[in-house]
Structure formats: C-alpha cells, structure tokens
Amino acid sequence: MNGRDLLLILTHLFRKVGSPVKVEEAVEFLSFRCRYGRPSQVRRMLTFALQNEMISRTEDSIEAGFLYDQQALSHNIVSNLKSTIRMDNDVEPMF
C-alpha cells in the first residue's frame, strides 16, 4: 500500500463516517464494511497515518489532518505520496 492509497482510504472513511471518529468505529468500518483488511492491518494503517501526520489522535478519537471533503491535490503531492510513503509490516497497531 502506498501513501496515495492510504489517503484515498482515509478520505472514504471521513466522508462516510465524519470527523472526528472513534478508533474502534473506524476499524470496524474499514475492516468489516469496506473490507480494506483485517482489523490488525487497519490499526497498523491508522498508526502509520498518525506517524505521517495524515490524521491526529485525541484520546480514542481520530481526526483528519487534511481537507477530506475536497480532493484538490496537485499532481506533485500525489506522486510524492505514491513514491515516498510506503507502509511496512514493522509498524505497531494502534490500540
């Protein structure tokens, strides 16, 4: 999964559920309703997004770190996300 995929998944989450959203609700939505991966993979993805400042976390809620209701990304940003951000398996899941 690259940064562009992750940004699109997060955009889908925040558009459908809203912002802020509880971590458990986000995991349930992305894992079981959208089938983006197992709950542990979704938690790992959310942790990775948090580390790359795509989302912010306060207690048990996450908020978008970008304007999810507007998809106005320049081609440079998209290509940079695609080529530089990669999610590896060494990221610990968000609890």
Side-chain angles (χ1 to χ4, degrees), residues 17-29:
V17 179
S19 180
V21 61
K22 295 194 179 294
V23 173
E24 290 302 318
E25 188 178 345
V27 170
E28 188 271 331
F29 179 78

Side-chain angles (χ1 to χ4, degrees), residues 6-92:
L6 180 56
L7 188 62
L8 292 173
I9 290 169
L10 291 172
T11 299
H12 182 70
L13 168 70
F14 291 121
R15 281 187 178 172
K16 293 292 184 178
V17 179
S19 180
V21 61
K22 295 194 179 294
V23 173
E24 290 302 318
E25 188 178 345
V27 170
E28 188 271 331
F29 179 78
L30 294 174
S31 184
F32 298 113
R33 291 191 198 160
C34 298
R35 308 246 184 221
Y36 283 124
R38 295 187 313 266
S40 61
Q41 292 172 326
V42 170
R43 289 180 186 277
R44 199 173 300 130
M45 179 186 67
L46 292 174
T47 302
F48 183 77
L50 182 65
Q51 290 173 347
N52 285 286
E53 299 177 357
M54 293 178 174
I55 60 174
S56 60
R57 182 177 180 194
T58 54
E59 296 179 10
D60 65 340
S61 297
I62 56 172
E63 290 184 77
F66 57 93
L67 297 175
Y68 60 88
D69 57 343
Q70 299 175 7
Q71 289 258 198
L73 297 175
S74 69
H75 295 293
N76 292 341
I77 293 174
V78 172
S79 66
N80 286 343
L81 284 172
K82 189 173 183 178
S83 63
T84 60
I85 297 178
R86 289 216 123 346
M87 191 170 88
D88 297 323
N89 291 332
D90 61 342
V91 178
E92 293 295 320

